[in-house]
Amino acid sequence: MNVTVTVNGRPHTRDVEPRTLLVHFLREDLGLTGTHVGCDTSQCGACTVHLNGDAVKSCTLLAVQADGMEVTTIEGIGTAAELHPLQAGFWEKHGLQCGFCTPGMIMSAAELLRHDPDPSEETIRHHLEGNYCRCTGYHNIVLAVQHAAQAMRASRRVGAEQAADD
């Protein structure tokens, strides 16, 4: 089947088998290996991406289901030169160890911060319940999300002040 998906702002058309999972399409057909395959049962969250702006587990969707939609992967939210505030937060607050769960954690947290720019610790923990980390015990992950939320709020304030001065 022919599938056209916009991934990280770029349209991609590929011929895929109807049973191809979105996670395999991203990794194998497009070479975007930041999205990880952890369990194939939607339990771990390592495969989390944004589909039309909402966090989804890409191991539970077929690539053909994403036809005509927009997908954002971890590769699409920041660059090596300019990290997304969540990526910077995970780095600065030691929110990762082995890094396997990190892309999924960041994508899930990005959805949270889009809806709630100042989440409580309890809200962060609740939102990340579908993402497993076997290394950190979550404390530093929560700190990383709080750090990113603060940085994003500060950036919005600065942007608003600059717009008011213009």
Side-chain angles (χ1 to χ4, degrees), residues 94-163:
H94 308 287
L96 61 107
Q97 285 182 23
C98 81
F100 191 81
C101 71
T102 305
M105 289 281 186
I106 288 174
M107 297 307 288
S108 291
E111 179 190 49
L112 168 64
L113 296 181
R114 193 176 84 238
H115 296 292
D116 183 352
D118 191 13
S120 67
E121 177 181 344
E122 180 182 345
T123 299
I124 294 168
R125 288 183 180 278
H126 178 73
H127 192 81
L128 296 178
E129 282 179 352
N131 295 79
Y132 293 155
C133 176
R134 295 184 176 117
C135 301
T136 66
Y138 299 95
H139 178 73
N140 287 351
I141 292 170
V142 172
L143 293 177
V145 175
Q146 290 172 324
H147 179 80
Q150 182 180 6
M152 292 167 76
R153 288 191 311 273
S155 177
R156 279 192 286 274
R157 276 193 302 275
V158 168
E161 290 170 3
Q162 289 174 346

Side-chain angles (χ1 to χ4, degrees), residues 14-154:
R14 298 287 191 282
D15 187 36
V16 298
E17 290 187 38
R19 63 188 172 133
T20 302
L21 293 172
L22 180 58
V23 67
H24 295 301
F25 174 75
L26 295 169
R27 291 179 59 81
E28 296 164 15
D29 293 319
L30 301 185
L32 298 170
T33 57
T35 302
H36 293 157
V37 179
C39 65
D40 279 331
T41 61
S42 77
Q43 299 299 309
C44 73
C47 67
T48 303
V49 299
H50 292 175
L51 183 66
N52 286 347
D54 295 320
V56 298
K57 294 178 180 176
S58 61
C59 74
T60 63
L61 292 169
L62 299 171
V64 296
Q65 290 175 288
D67 189 33
M69 296 187 180
E70 293 189 19
V71 175
T72 304
T73 68
I74 190 70
E75 291 93 344
I77 68 164
T79 66
E82 189 174 334
L83 296 176
H84 183 280
L86 278 162
Q87 293 168 316
F90 270 69
W91 176 262
E92 292 173 25
K93 296 298 179 181
H94 308 287
L96 61 107
Q97 285 182 23
C98 81
F100 191 81
C101 71
T102 305
M105 289 281 186
I106 288 174
M107 297 307 288
S108 291
E111 179 190 49
L112 168 64
L113 296 181
R114 193 176 84 238
H115 296 292
D116 183 352
D118 191 13
S120 67
E121 177 181 344
E122 180 182 345
T123 299
I124 294 168
R125 288 183 180 278
H126 178 73
H127 192 81
L128 296 178
E129 282 179 352
N131 295 79
Y132 293 155
C133 176
R134 295 184 176 117
C135 301
T136 66
Y138 299 95
H139 178 73
N140 287 351
I141 292 170
V142 172
L143 293 177
V145 175
Q146 290 172 324
H147 179 80
Q150 182 180 6
M152 292 167 76
R153 288 191 311 273

